[in-house]
Amino acid sequence: MERGVKTANVKSRSRKHNWVLAGWNALHRATLDVGAEISYEPWEIPELRNRPIADAGCYMALVQPLTQLLVQDLEAPSMRAEPARILIWRKLRMLGRRSHPDLWRLLAEDCQVSDPVQEYHQMQHASQTSVATTVPMSPVLAARHGYKLLWQTDRSDLDQVQRLLWGLALIGWSAHHWEQVATCELCFRFTRPGSRFCYEHTQSQTQDSERSAAYRRYRLGRKVHQLAEQRGKLEFLRGNSMLREARRRLALSDVIFEWEYEADAVADEFENLHDMLNLSPRVLGKLEPGALDLDFETLTEILREILDPYHWDPMLWGLTILQAEFWFSLEEESAPGKRGRGVTAQEQIRRAKALAQQGLRKSQIARELGISASTISQWVARGLY
Ligand SMILES: [Zn+2]
């Protein structure tokens, strides 16, 4: 029921979309998210009624091609964010309508275009000023290309207003996709924009030969999801709806700005990453030996590849590692052939006993055998060990 309603909304929105406004709203929001917003306690400045405040210098640095449209300067050092967004939008609308009425109608007025990226490609191809490809742009590339376009003053084929309109339209198209990025209905991963399931659990877009394997992965995912639910761990695994919304928004701002973090923040994050990996033998087992010696960027790139390709933020991998570790442990528990206490478990108990006799602690034994410490505790409790 609910899904039906959602799909209907998405469809009606894509039919009547003002891509320029959508792009400007998304870029404005991303600018605040990525650091221009000043946080304050509502009681400190009650007259602001909890409205968003931005650092004017930071805001202008991130969206200068748009703030420079304004005749008057923005209030400094801090300003109310919403009036700035509206002022800039009015100015852009006035310029767009006056100097490029056709382009304005195409991108900003009722249902002229359903896919600005395709239009952009055609326009580029026609003018032949750059090597236009016919490969469709991904939402990620569209947002980045759109943001770059805002700054490209050296383009001979597009004037300033045209660049702003196309750039924002591309960002708006991308943002429209990011709105549909969700957490997989089963596990901890993000989905491809518009999908219900992550690459591991999707059954669509698979070749005939892979179909049964995809179905097995989906079945296993469903079992694990149920197991997590029974244990009250779904919220840990997938985040609550507020957290998911925040992650999604930050993902877009990260995609647009390709933000560089400060060295201190990266060093802290790196240390945290190592701590979490050392707690997560299953995740560590998927990495090449020596992965812990890699630099931050390479390590997060590899984590993105093996854990969650749509986790764009270079930060916040610590929680994802713990979620993945928990998910993999439940997968092991639910995997066919691992039910009951088979030969493998007997063998593991025998090896655990041997390691204990060598003086290893429970956590060390668990890591050695690739099982959780609580499994060993359960063996002890049942007198098997
Ligand atoms: Zn999944």
Side-chain angles (χ1 to χ4, degrees), residues 100 103 119-132 145 148-149 151-164 166:
H100 295 286
L103 184 59
E119 296 283 334
Y120 179 73
H121 271 306
Q122 277 167 13
M123 183 270 297
Q124 270 201 313
H125 198 68
S127 66
Q128 289 184 338
T129 51
S130 64
V131 193
H145 191 90
K148 281 199 193 102
L149 197 53
W151 296 83
Q152 269 172 9
T153 46
D154 56 348
R155 281 186 73 129
S156 54
D157 57 329
L158 300 173
D159 71 18
Q160 183 202 21
V161 175
Q162 285 172 315
R163 274 192 294 111
L164 296 183
W166 278 116

PDB file of all heavy atoms in Angstrom, residues 100 103 119-132 145 148-149 151-164 166:
ATOM      1  N   HIS A 100      17.436  34.002 -21.475  1.00  0.00           N
ATOM      2  CA  HIS A 100      17.351  32.716 -22.195  1.00  0.00           C
ATOM      3  C   HIS A 100      15.971  32.088 -22.021  1.00  0.00           C
ATOM      4  O   HIS A 100      15.841  31.021 -21.415  1.00  0.00           O
ATOM      5  CB  HIS A 100      18.435  31.754 -21.687  1.00  0.00           C
ATOM      6  CG  HIS A 100      19.815  32.234 -21.977  1.00  0.00           C
ATOM      7  ND1 HIS A 100      20.378  32.198 -23.235  1.00  0.00           N
ATOM      8  CD2 HIS A 100      20.746  32.807 -21.177  1.00  0.00           C
ATOM      9  CE1 HIS A 100      21.590  32.711 -23.191  1.00  0.00           C
ATOM     10  NE2 HIS A 100      21.835  33.100 -21.953  1.00  0.00           N
ATOM     11  N   LEU A 103      15.574  28.274 -23.054  1.00  0.00           N
ATOM     12  CA  LEU A 103      16.246  27.345 -22.142  1.00  0.00           C
ATOM     13  C   LEU A 103      15.506  27.309 -20.802  1.00  0.00           C
ATOM     14  O   LEU A 103      15.337  26.252 -20.194  1.00  0.00           O
ATOM     15  CB  LEU A 103      17.708  27.777 -21.929  1.00  0.00           C
ATOM     16  CG  LEU A 103      18.562  26.836 -21.078  1.00  0.00           C
ATOM     17  CD1 LEU A 103      18.626  25.452 -21.689  1.00  0.00           C
ATOM     18  CD2 LEU A 103      19.977  27.397 -20.881  1.00  0.00           C
ATOM     19  N   GLU A 119      19.294  15.872 -22.559  1.00  0.00           N
ATOM     20  CA  GLU A 119      19.253  17.140 -23.300  1.00  0.00           C
ATOM     21  C   GLU A 119      20.627  17.794 -23.326  1.00  0.00           C
ATOM     22  O   GLU A 119      21.059  18.327 -24.334  1.00  0.00           O
ATOM     23  CB  GLU A 119      18.263  18.113 -22.644  1.00  0.00           C
ATOM     24  CG  GLU A 119      16.831  17.658 -22.663  1.00  0.00           C
ATOM     25  CD  GLU A 119      16.189  17.859 -24.027  1.00  0.00           C
ATOM     26  OE1 GLU A 119      16.651  18.759 -24.753  1.00  0.00           O
ATOM     27  OE2 GLU A 119      15.252  17.106 -24.349  1.00  0.00           O
ATOM     28  N   TYR A 120      21.285  17.741 -22.193  1.00  0.00           N
ATOM     29  CA  TYR A 120      22.605  18.355 -22.074  1.00  0.00           C
ATOM     30  C   TYR A 120      23.589  17.679 -23.032  1.00  0.00           C
ATOM     31  O   TYR A 120      24.350  18.335 -23.721  1.00  0.00           O
ATOM     32  CB  TYR A 120      23.099  18.262 -20.624  1.00  0.00           C
ATOM     33  CG  TYR A 120      24.464  18.855 -20.394  1.00  0.00           C
ATOM     34  CD1 TYR A 120      24.656  20.235 -20.388  1.00  0.00           C
ATOM     35  CD2 TYR A 120      25.565  18.029 -20.187  1.00  0.00           C
ATOM     36  CE1 TYR A 120      25.917  20.780 -20.176  1.00  0.00           C
ATOM     37  CE2 TYR A 120      26.825  18.564 -19.976  1.00  0.00           C
ATOM     38  CZ  TYR A 120      26.999  19.937 -19.975  1.00  0.00           C
ATOM     39  OH  TYR A 120      28.243  20.473 -19.772  1.00  0.00           O
ATOM     40  N   HIS A 121      23.526  16.361 -23.067  1.00  0.00           N
ATOM     41  CA  HIS A 121      24.388  15.607 -23.980  1.00  0.00           C
ATOM     42  C   HIS A 121      24.136  15.995 -25.431  1.00  0.00           C
ATOM     43  O   HIS A 121      25.053  16.226 -26.198  1.00  0.00           O
ATOM     44  CB  HIS A 121      24.142  14.105 -23.824  1.00  0.00           C
ATOM     45  CG  HIS A 121      25.023  13.491 -22.782  1.00  0.00           C
ATOM     46  ND1 HIS A 121      26.380  13.630 -22.802  1.00  0.00           N
ATOM     47  CD2 HIS A 121      24.738  12.745 -21.699  1.00  0.00           C
ATOM     48  CE1 HIS A 121      26.902  12.992 -21.764  1.00  0.00           C
ATOM     49  NE2 HIS A 121      25.925  12.454 -21.077  1.00  0.00           N
ATOM     50  N   GLN A 122      22.854  16.064 -25.784  1.00  0.00           N
ATOM     51  CA  GLN A 122      22.512  16.408 -27.168  1.00  0.00           C
ATOM     52  C   GLN A 122      23.021  17.789 -27.523  1.00  0.00           C
ATOM     53  O   GLN A 122      23.580  18.012 -28.594  1.00  0.00           O
ATOM     54  CB  GLN A 122      21.002  16.341 -27.366  1.00  0.00           C
ATOM     55  CG  GLN A 122      20.527  14.930 -27.644  1.00  0.00           C
ATOM     56  CD  GLN A 122      19.025  14.816 -27.528  1.00  0.00           C
ATOM     57  OE1 GLN A 122      18.326  15.836 -27.478  1.00  0.00           O
ATOM     58  NE2 GLN A 122      18.524  13.599 -27.470  1.00  0.00           N
ATOM     59  N   MET A 123      22.833  18.730 -26.591  1.00  0.00           N
ATOM     60  CA  MET A 123      23.263  20.102 -26.816  1.00  0.00           C
ATOM     61  C   MET A 123      24.774  20.141 -27.005  1.00  0.00           C
ATOM     62  O   MET A 123      25.276  20.779 -27.920  1.00  0.00           O
ATOM     63  CB  MET A 123      22.825  20.930 -25.604  1.00  0.00           C
ATOM     64  CG  MET A 123      23.112  22.407 -25.657  1.00  0.00           C
ATOM     65  SD  MET A 123      24.713  22.837 -24.970  1.00  0.00           S
ATOM     66  CE  MET A 123      24.514  22.336 -23.263  1.00  0.00           C
ATOM     67  N   GLN A 124      25.501  19.424 -26.157  1.00  0.00           N
ATOM     68  CA  GLN A 124      26.960  19.405 -26.256  1.00  0.00           C
ATOM     69  C   GLN A 124      27.397  18.772 -27.554  1.00  0.00           C
ATOM     70  O   GLN A 124      28.325  19.226 -28.206  1.00  0.00           O
ATOM     71  CB  GLN A 124      27.531  18.580 -25.107  1.00  0.00           C
ATOM     72  CG  GLN A 124      27.814  19.395 -23.881  1.00  0.00           C
ATOM     73  CD  GLN A 124      28.814  18.668 -23.003  1.00  0.00           C
ATOM     74  OE1 GLN A 124      28.672  17.479 -22.753  1.00  0.00           O
ATOM     75  NE2 GLN A 124      29.810  19.375 -22.543  1.00  0.00           N
ATOM     76  N   HIS A 125      26.703  17.702 -27.926  1.00  0.00           N
ATOM     77  CA  HIS A 125      27.046  16.979 -29.143  1.00  0.00           C
ATOM     78  C   HIS A 125      26.856  17.894 -30.353  1.00  0.00           C
ATOM     79  O   HIS A 125      27.689  17.936 -31.244  1.00  0.00           O
ATOM     80  CB  HIS A 125      26.161  15.745 -29.261  1.00  0.00           C
ATOM     81  CG  HIS A 125      26.699  14.743 -30.217  1.00  0.00           C
ATOM     82  ND1 HIS A 125      27.847  14.043 -29.967  1.00  0.00           N
ATOM     83  CD2 HIS A 125      26.256  14.339 -31.421  1.00  0.00           C
ATOM     84  CE1 HIS A 125      28.113  13.247 -30.980  1.00  0.00           C
ATOM     85  NE2 HIS A 125      27.165  13.401 -31.886  1.00  0.00           N
ATOM     86  N   ALA A 126      25.747  18.636 -30.330  1.00  0.00           N
ATOM     87  CA  ALA A 126      25.434  19.518 -31.455  1.00  0.00           C
ATOM     88  C   ALA A 126      26.473  20.624 -31.590  1.00  0.00           C
ATOM     89  O   ALA A 126      26.881  20.986 -32.688  1.00  0.00           O
ATOM     90  CB  ALA A 126      24.047  20.110 -31.276  1.00  0.00           C
ATOM     91  N   SER A 127      26.906  21.172 -30.454  1.00  0.00           N
ATOM     92  CA  SER A 127      27.856  22.286 -30.534  1.00  0.00           C
ATOM     93  C   SER A 127      29.280  21.773 -30.746  1.00  0.00           C
ATOM     94  O   SER A 127      30.144  22.524 -31.172  1.00  0.00           O
ATOM     95  CB  SER A 127      27.792  23.133 -29.261  1.00  0.00           C
ATOM     96  OG  SER A 127      28.252  22.378 -28.173  1.00  0.00           O
ATOM     97  N   GLN A 128      29.507  20.490 -30.450  1.00  0.00           N
ATOM     98  CA  GLN A 128      30.806  19.839 -30.688  1.00  0.00           C
ATOM     99  C   GLN A 128      31.983  20.602 -30.116  1.00  0.00           C
ATOM    100  O   GLN A 128      33.054  20.641 -30.723  1.00  0.00           O
ATOM    101  CB  GLN A 128      31.021  19.607 -32.181  1.00  0.00           C
ATOM    102  CG  GLN A 128      30.124  18.518 -32.699  1.00  0.00           C
ATOM    103  CD  GLN A 128      30.375  18.181 -34.140  1.00  0.00           C
ATOM    104  OE1 GLN A 128      30.917  18.990 -34.874  1.00  0.00           O
ATOM    105  NE2 GLN A 128      29.965  16.999 -34.550  1.00  0.00           N
ATOM    106  N   THR A 129      31.782  21.215 -28.962  1.00  0.00           N
ATOM    107  CA  THR A 129      32.902  21.928 -28.366  1.00  0.00           C
ATOM    108  C   THR A 129      33.701  21.011 -27.464  1.00  0.00           C
ATOM    109  O   THR A 129      34.817  21.310 -27.101  1.00  0.00           O
ATOM    110  CB  THR A 129      32.425  23.108 -27.518  1.00  0.00           C
ATOM    111  OG1 THR A 129      31.429  22.608 -26.636  1.00  0.00           O
ATOM    112  CG2 THR A 129      31.875  24.210 -28.387  1.00  0.00           C
ATOM    113  N   SER A 130      33.107  19.901 -27.095  1.00  0.00           N
ATOM    114  CA  SER A 130      33.871  18.979 -26.265  1.00  0.00           C
ATOM    115  C   SER A 130      33.552  17.572 -26.738  1.00  0.00           C
ATOM    116  O   SER A 130      32.637  17.361 -27.514  1.00  0.00           O
ATOM    117  CB  SER A 130      33.485  19.132 -24.795  1.00  0.00           C
ATOM    118  OG  SER A 130      32.150  18.765 -24.629  1.00  0.00           O
ATOM    119  N   VAL A 131      34.307  16.643 -26.274  1.00  0.00           N
ATOM    120  CA  VAL A 131      34.074  15.266 -26.670  1.00  0.00           C
ATOM    121  C   VAL A 131      32.869  14.744 -25.888  1.00  0.00           C
ATOM    122  O   VAL A 131      32.993  14.275 -24.765  1.00  0.00           O
ATOM    123  CB  VAL A 131      35.316  14.399 -26.372  1.00  0.00           C
ATOM    124  CG1 VAL A 131      35.190  13.054 -27.066  1.00  0.00           C
ATOM    125  CG2 VAL A 131      36.585  15.107 -26.815  1.00  0.00           C
ATOM    126  N   ALA A 132      31.717  14.865 -26.499  1.00  0.00           N
ATOM    127  CA  ALA A 132      30.516  14.399 -25.818  1.00  0.00           C
ATOM    128  C   ALA A 132      30.390  12.896 -26.002  1.00  0.00           C
ATOM    129  O   ALA A 132      30.582  12.373 -27.088  1.00  0.00           O
ATOM    130  CB  ALA A 132      29.302  15.100 -26.402  1.00  0.00           C
ATOM    131  N   HIS A 145      29.441  16.985 -12.328  1.00  0.00           N
ATOM    132  CA  HIS A 145      29.582  17.749 -13.555  1.00  0.00           C
ATOM    133  C   HIS A 145      28.805  19.065 -13.458  1.00  0.00           C
ATOM    134  O   HIS A 145      29.286  20.117 -13.857  1.00  0.00           O
ATOM    135  CB  HIS A 145      29.079  16.923 -14.741  1.00  0.00           C
ATOM    136  CG  HIS A 145      29.424  17.510 -16.065  1.00  0.00           C
ATOM    137  ND1 HIS A 145      30.588  17.198 -16.733  1.00  0.00           N
ATOM    138  CD2 HIS A 145      28.775  18.417 -16.831  1.00  0.00           C
ATOM    139  CE1 HIS A 145      30.639  17.884 -17.849  1.00  0.00           C
ATOM    140  NE2 HIS A 145      29.552  18.636 -17.941  1.00  0.00           N
ATOM    141  N   LYS A 148      30.683  21.528 -11.283  1.00  0.00           N
ATOM    142  CA  LYS A 148      31.854  22.083 -11.999  1.00  0.00           C
ATOM    143  C   LYS A 148      31.419  23.116 -13.035  1.00  0.00           C
ATOM    144  O   LYS A 148      32.053  24.147 -13.199  1.00  0.00           O
ATOM    145  CB  LYS A 148      32.628  20.958 -12.693  1.00  0.00           C
ATOM    146  CG  LYS A 148      33.511  20.197 -11.743  1.00  0.00           C
ATOM    147  CD  LYS A 148      34.599  19.416 -12.468  1.00  0.00           C
ATOM    148  CE  LYS A 148      35.247  18.423 -11.520  1.00  0.00           C
ATOM    149  NZ  LYS A 148      34.765  17.054 -11.726  1.00  0.00           N
ATOM    150  N   LEU A 149      30.318  22.790 -13.705  1.00  0.00           N
ATOM    151  CA  LEU A 149      29.817  23.676 -14.760  1.00  0.00           C
ATOM    152  C   LEU A 149      29.528  25.085 -14.221  1.00  0.00           C
ATOM    153  O   LEU A 149      29.756  26.085 -14.896  1.00  0.00           O
ATOM    154  CB  LEU A 149      28.546  23.058 -15.345  1.00  0.00           C
ATOM    155  CG  LEU A 149      28.028  23.544 -16.689  1.00  0.00           C
ATOM    156  CD1 LEU A 149      29.117  23.478 -17.743  1.00  0.00           C
ATOM    157  CD2 LEU A 149      26.830  22.688 -17.106  1.00  0.00           C
ATOM    158  N   TRP A 151      31.158  26.724 -12.255  1.00  0.00           N
ATOM    159  CA  TRP A 151      32.418  27.467 -12.091  1.00  0.00           C
ATOM    160  C   TRP A 151      33.194  27.650 -13.394  1.00  0.00           C
ATOM    161  O   TRP A 151      34.200  28.343 -13.408  1.00  0.00           O
ATOM    162  CB  TRP A 151      33.320  26.728 -11.082  1.00  0.00           C
ATOM    163  CG  TRP A 151      32.766  26.664  -9.711  1.00  0.00           C
ATOM    164  CD1 TRP A 151      31.852  25.754  -9.243  1.00  0.00           C
ATOM    165  CD2 TRP A 151      33.051  27.527  -8.606  1.00  0.00           C
ATOM    166  NE1 TRP A 151      31.569  25.990  -7.922  1.00  0.00           N
ATOM    167  CE2 TRP A 151      32.294  27.073  -7.492  1.00  0.00           C
ATOM    168  CE3 TRP A 151      33.883  28.641  -8.443  1.00  0.00           C
ATOM    169  CZ2 TRP A 151      32.339  27.706  -6.262  1.00  0.00           C
ATOM    170  CZ3 TRP A 151      33.931  29.258  -7.194  1.00  0.00           C
ATOM    171  CH2 TRP A 151      33.158  28.793  -6.117  1.00  0.00           C
ATOM    172  N   GLN A 152      32.752  27.013 -14.477  1.00  0.00           N
ATOM    173  CA  GLN A 152      33.569  26.992 -15.702  1.00  0.00           C
ATOM    174  C   GLN A 152      33.441  28.279 -16.521  1.00  0.00           C
ATOM    175  O   GLN A 152      32.746  28.316 -17.536  1.00  0.00           O
ATOM    176  CB  GLN A 152      33.194  25.798 -16.575  1.00  0.00           C
ATOM    177  CG  GLN A 152      34.027  24.572 -16.265  1.00  0.00           C
ATOM    178  CD  GLN A 152      33.517  23.355 -17.002  1.00  0.00           C
ATOM    179  OE1 GLN A 152      32.646  23.441 -17.866  1.00  0.00           O
ATOM    180  NE2 GLN A 152      34.056  22.205 -16.647  1.00  0.00           N
ATOM    181  N   THR A 153      34.142  29.328 -16.084  1.00  0.00           N
ATOM    182  CA  THR A 153      34.000  30.625 -16.746  1.00  0.00           C
ATOM    183  C   THR A 153      34.646  30.644 -18.130  1.00  0.00           C
ATOM    184  O   THR A 153      34.416  31.561 -18.900  1.00  0.00           O
ATOM    185  CB  THR A 153      34.647  31.729 -15.886  1.00  0.00           C
ATOM    186  OG1 THR A 153      35.925  31.256 -15.463  1.00  0.00           O
ATOM    187  CG2 THR A 153      33.803  32.042 -14.672  1.00  0.00           C
ATOM    188  N   ASP A 154      35.480  29.632 -18.419  1.00  0.00           N
ATOM    189  CA  ASP A 154      36.208  29.689 -19.691  1.00  0.00           C
ATOM    190  C   ASP A 154      35.460  28.989 -20.838  1.00  0.00           C
ATOM    191  O   ASP A 154      36.023  28.777 -21.897  1.00  0.00           O
ATOM    192  CB  ASP A 154      37.601  29.056 -19.525  1.00  0.00           C
ATOM    193  CG  ASP A 154      37.518  27.632 -18.995  1.00  0.00           C
ATOM    194  OD1 ASP A 154      36.422  27.225 -18.542  1.00  0.00           O
ATOM    195  OD2 ASP A 154      38.545  26.922 -19.017  1.00  0.00           O
ATOM    196  N   ARG A 155      34.213  28.652 -20.638  1.00  0.00           N
ATOM    197  CA  ARG A 155      33.495  27.965 -21.724  1.00  0.00           C
ATOM    198  C   ARG A 155      33.012  28.968 -22.764  1.00  0.00           C
ATOM    199  O   ARG A 155      32.364  29.957 -22.428  1.00  0.00           O
ATOM    200  CB  ARG A 155      32.309  27.190 -21.159  1.00  0.00           C
ATOM    201  CG  ARG A 155      32.733  25.886 -20.523  1.00  0.00           C
ATOM    202  CD  ARG A 155      31.538  25.096 -20.126  1.00  0.00           C
ATOM    203  NE  ARG A 155      30.866  24.537 -21.293  1.00  0.00           N
ATOM    204  CZ  ARG A 155      30.556  23.255 -21.385  1.00  0.00           C
ATOM    205  NH1 ARG A 155      30.869  22.421 -20.424  1.00  0.00           N
ATOM    206  NH2 ARG A 155      29.920  22.810 -22.437  1.00  0.00           N
ATOM    207  N   SER A 156      33.313  28.673 -24.023  1.00  0.00           N
ATOM    208  CA  SER A 156      32.919  29.610 -25.063  1.00  0.00           C
ATOM    209  C   SER A 156      31.502  29.329 -25.552  1.00  0.00           C
ATOM    210  O   SER A 156      30.849  30.188 -26.131  1.00  0.00           O
ATOM    211  CB  SER A 156      33.900  29.528 -26.230  1.00  0.00           C
ATOM    212  OG  SER A 156      33.985  28.185 -26.653  1.00  0.00           O
ATOM    213  N   ASP A 157      31.025  28.097 -25.332  1.00  0.00           N
ATOM    214  CA  ASP A 157      29.712  27.736 -25.889  1.00  0.00           C
ATOM    215  C   ASP A 157      28.552  28.163 -24.997  1.00  0.00           C
ATOM    216  O   ASP A 157      27.414  28.229 -25.451  1.00  0.00           O
ATOM    217  CB  ASP A 157      29.649  26.228 -26.150  1.00  0.00           C
ATOM    218  CG  ASP A 157      29.920  25.409 -24.891  1.00  0.00           C
ATOM    219  OD1 ASP A 157      30.688  25.895 -24.025  1.00  0.00           O
ATOM    220  OD2 ASP A 157      29.375  24.311 -24.759  1.00  0.00           O
ATOM    221  N   LEU A 158      28.819  28.430 -23.727  1.00  0.00           N
ATOM    222  CA  LEU A 158      27.733  28.781 -22.806  1.00  0.00           C
ATOM    223  C   LEU A 158      28.079  30.071 -22.066  1.00  0.00           C
ATOM    224  O   LEU A 158      29.202  30.221 -21.592  1.00  0.00           O
ATOM    225  CB  LEU A 158      27.534  27.666 -21.759  1.00  0.00           C
ATOM    226  CG  LEU A 158      27.175  26.262 -22.252  1.00  0.00           C
ATOM    227  CD1 LEU A 158      27.188  25.295 -21.080  1.00  0.00           C
ATOM    228  CD2 LEU A 158      25.808  26.264 -22.920  1.00  0.00           C
ATOM    229  N   ASP A 159      27.116  30.986 -21.992  1.00  0.00           N
ATOM    230  CA  ASP A 159      27.398  32.174 -21.179  1.00  0.00           C
ATOM    231  C   ASP A 159      27.090  31.890 -19.711  1.00  0.00           C
ATOM    232  O   ASP A 159      26.674  30.786 -19.359  1.00  0.00           O
ATOM    233  CB  ASP A 159      26.653  33.406 -21.718  1.00  0.00           C
ATOM    234  CG  ASP A 159      25.141  33.316 -21.468  1.00  0.00           C
ATOM    235  OD1 ASP A 159      24.709  32.509 -20.616  1.00  0.00           O
ATOM    236  OD2 ASP A 159      24.398  34.059 -22.150  1.00  0.00           O
ATOM    237  N   GLN A 160      27.267  32.906 -18.874  1.00  0.00           N
ATOM    238  CA  GLN A 160      27.163  32.679 -17.427  1.00  0.00           C
ATOM    239  C   GLN A 160      25.802  32.105 -17.016  1.00  0.00           C
ATOM    240  O   GLN A 160      25.725  31.119 -16.287  1.00  0.00           O
ATOM    241  CB  GLN A 160      27.421  34.009 -16.699  1.00  0.00           C
ATOM    242  CG  GLN A 160      27.402  33.891 -15.189  1.00  0.00           C
ATOM    243  CD  GLN A 160      27.122  35.226 -14.521  1.00  0.00           C
ATOM    244  OE1 GLN A 160      26.579  36.141 -15.142  1.00  0.00           O
ATOM    245  NE2 GLN A 160      27.490  35.337 -13.257  1.00  0.00           N
ATOM    246  N   VAL A 161      24.728  32.732 -17.525  1.00  0.00           N
ATOM    247  CA  VAL A 161      23.401  32.292 -17.100  1.00  0.00           C
ATOM    248  C   VAL A 161      23.104  30.878 -17.622  1.00  0.00           C
ATOM    249  O   VAL A 161      22.572  30.033 -16.904  1.00  0.00           O
ATOM    250  CB  VAL A 161      22.316  33.287 -17.568  1.00  0.00           C
ATOM    251  CG1 VAL A 161      20.928  32.772 -17.223  1.00  0.00           C
ATOM    252  CG2 VAL A 161      22.555  34.644 -16.925  1.00  0.00           C
ATOM    253  N   GLN A 162      23.515  30.590 -18.843  1.00  0.00           N
ATOM    254  CA  GLN A 162      23.319  29.239 -19.384  1.00  0.00           C
ATOM    255  C   GLN A 162      24.050  28.191 -18.550  1.00  0.00           C
ATOM    256  O   GLN A 162      23.519  27.121 -18.281  1.00  0.00           O
ATOM    257  CB  GLN A 162      23.825  29.175 -20.828  1.00  0.00           C
ATOM    258  CG  GLN A 162      22.895  29.854 -21.817  1.00  0.00           C
ATOM    259  CD  GLN A 162      23.535  29.940 -23.197  1.00  0.00           C
ATOM    260  OE1 GLN A 162      24.704  30.299 -23.336  1.00  0.00           O
ATOM    261  NE2 GLN A 162      22.768  29.596 -24.224  1.00  0.00           N
ATOM    262  N   ARG A 163      25.270  28.529 -18.151  1.00  0.00           N
ATOM    263  CA  ARG A 163      26.030  27.583 -17.319  1.00  0.00           C
ATOM    264  C   ARG A 163      25.297  27.320 -16.010  1.00  0.00           C
ATOM    265  O   ARG A 163      25.200  26.177 -15.558  1.00  0.00           O
ATOM    266  CB  ARG A 163      27.418  28.154 -16.994  1.00  0.00           C
ATOM    267  CG  ARG A 163      28.469  27.879 -18.044  1.00  0.00           C
ATOM    268  CD  ARG A 163      29.846  28.217 -17.512  1.00  0.00           C
ATOM    269  NE  ARG A 163      30.029  29.642 -17.247  1.00  0.00           N
ATOM    270  CZ  ARG A 163      30.151  30.185 -16.041  1.00  0.00           C
ATOM    271  NH1 ARG A 163      30.142  29.416 -14.964  1.00  0.00           N
ATOM    272  NH2 ARG A 163      30.297  31.482 -15.887  1.00  0.00           N
ATOM    273  N   LEU A 164      24.778  28.387 -15.386  1.00  0.00           N
ATOM    274  CA  LEU A 164      24.098  28.213 -14.105  1.00  0.00           C
ATOM    275  C   LEU A 164      22.836  27.363 -14.274  1.00  0.00           C
ATOM    276  O   LEU A 164      22.552  26.483 -13.465  1.00  0.00           O
ATOM    277  CB  LEU A 164      23.740  29.572 -13.487  1.00  0.00           C
ATOM    278  CG  LEU A 164      24.930  30.469 -13.119  1.00  0.00           C
ATOM    279  CD1 LEU A 164      24.449  31.748 -12.444  1.00  0.00           C
ATOM    280  CD2 LEU A 164      25.920  29.749 -12.218  1.00  0.00           C
ATOM    281  N   TRP A 166      22.073  25.121 -16.711  1.00  0.00           N
ATOM    282  CA  TRP A 166      22.402  23.709 -16.980  1.00  0.00           C
ATOM    283  C   TRP A 166      23.001  23.039 -15.744  1.00  0.00           C
ATOM    284  O   TRP A 166      22.645  21.914 -15.394  1.00  0.00           O
ATOM    285  CB  TRP A 166      23.389  23.592 -18.146  1.00  0.00           C
ATOM    286  CG  TRP A 166      22.772  23.647 -19.502  1.00  0.00           C
ATOM    287  CD1 TRP A 166      22.967  24.606 -20.453  1.00  0.00           C
ATOM    288  CD2 TRP A 166      21.849  22.701 -20.082  1.00  0.00           C
ATOM    289  NE1 TRP A 166      22.231  24.315 -21.575  1.00  0.00           N
ATOM    290  CE2 TRP A 166      21.535  23.157 -21.375  1.00  0.00           C
ATOM    291  CE3 TRP A 166      21.261  21.519 -19.623  1.00  0.00           C
ATOM    292  CZ2 TRP A 166      20.666  22.475 -22.224  1.00  0.00           C
ATOM    293  CZ3 TRP A 166      20.400  20.832 -20.464  1.00  0.00           C
ATOM    294  CH2 TRP A 166      20.105  21.311 -21.745  1.00  0.00           C
TER     295      TRP A 166
END
